[in-house]
Amino acid sequence: MFGMRKAGIRAAVITVPLVAGLLSGAAAPAGAHSAKPAKGLTCRGAGVEPAAQIRYRTEAVINAPLDVIWKLQTDVDRWPSWQKPVTSAERLDHGRFRAGSAFHWTTPIPPGTGIPATALDITSTVRQVGDRSCIRWTGPADGEGVHIDGVHVWNFTKVRGGVRVSTEETHTGPQVDADVPLATAILQAGLDGWLADLKAAAEARVR
């Protein structure tokens, strides 16, 4: 697509979310996961992009209080302190994390990928939020020669032993649609890595 070689396509899809699983080397958290779950996650009735070819869902039980987990996830400015693949993150509004909140964040593209871009700029907008129960945000990820549209849903449910954090994301865009199995596998690595980092950070705070 757009004259990109196969290597360029592969490089393009290693980008969001966060390139977390690939750059941090984090182990996947324990929990159920599926590329095509029977029923998608929602927040206030809205879910991921139903027509997207690239989607992944996963979950993990985090042994920490819900308030701790929610604070880590919604304090966007501090994401780089516990997620190595996030090189910068900034809220674009002030006050409580709410529908309409927006944030800009960046993540690097490793060298030797065959595409000009060295980093992705991502601007996410919160569309729905349930206090300490769910979040849904959308937004584009852009770099030179790369464009991905993402929709991301998070659910937080108290369970025996902690909180079950479930997440589902879809990606659309010419580069990722060019290689759906690869794009899905890399989305899986990213979401599993994000959950692993969230679990490690939250549990470290209560030890």
Side-chain angles (χ1 to χ4, degrees):
M1 294 292 180
F2 299 116
M4 295 179 68
R5 303 188 307 273
K6 185 69 171 180
I9 294 171
R10 287 179 175 270
V13 297
I14 64 174
T15 51
V16 277
L18 305 183
V19 211
L22 299 181
L23 293 184
S24 68
H33 52 79
S34 172
K36 293 184 177 180
K39 184 178 180 181
L41 298 178
T42 61
C43 184
R44 296 192 178 277
V48 293
E49 171 54 54
Q53 298 183 76
I54 297 103
R55 77 174 58 222
Y56 182 69
R57 174 176 170 178
T58 189
E59 63 183 34
V61 173
I62 299 178
N63 301 311
L66 177 56
D67 285 351
V68 170
I69 298 166
W70 184 262
K71 176 66 173 176
L72 282 166
Q73 185 73 336
T74 59
D75 191 358
V76 174
D77 291 338
R78 295 184 180 274
W79 279 3
S81 70
W82 57 272
Q83 297 190 73
K84 289 182 180 179
V86 180
T87 51
S88 69
E90 179 186 10
R91 275 280 298 273
L92 301 179
D93 63 317
H94 301 285
R96 64 185 179 85
F97 194 81
R98 61 192 183 278
S101 290
F103 45 98
H104 176 259
W105 46 297
T106 59
T107 186
I109 298 175
T113 57
I115 61 172
T118 58
L120 276 184
D121 287 304
I122 307 164
T123 301
S124 300
T125 302
V126 178
R127 303 300 181 181
Q128 288 83 21
V129 61
D131 186 32
R132 293 169 176 77
S133 64
C134 68
I135 307 167
R136 178 180 177 269
W137 67 62
T138 66
D142 290 298
E144 188 177 353
V146 182
H147 178 86
I148 302 171
D149 288 305
V151 182
H152 204 163
V153 179
W154 294 84
N155 285 181
F156 305 83
T157 308
K158 288 185 178 181
V159 295
R160 184 184 297 274
V163 177
R164 183 175 64 247
V165 180
S166 306
T167 186
E168 183 175 20
E169 184 166 7
T170 53
H171 287 172
T172 57
Q175 291 82 22
V176 291
D177 288 343
D179 193 332
V180 172
L182 177 63
T184 301
I186 293 171
L187 175 59
Q188 172 182 345
L191 287 184
D192 285 346
W194 191 329
L195 264 186
D197 286 345
L198 180 61
K199 179 179 175 68
E203 292 180 353
R205 291 200 174 193
V206 297
R207 281 199 291 266

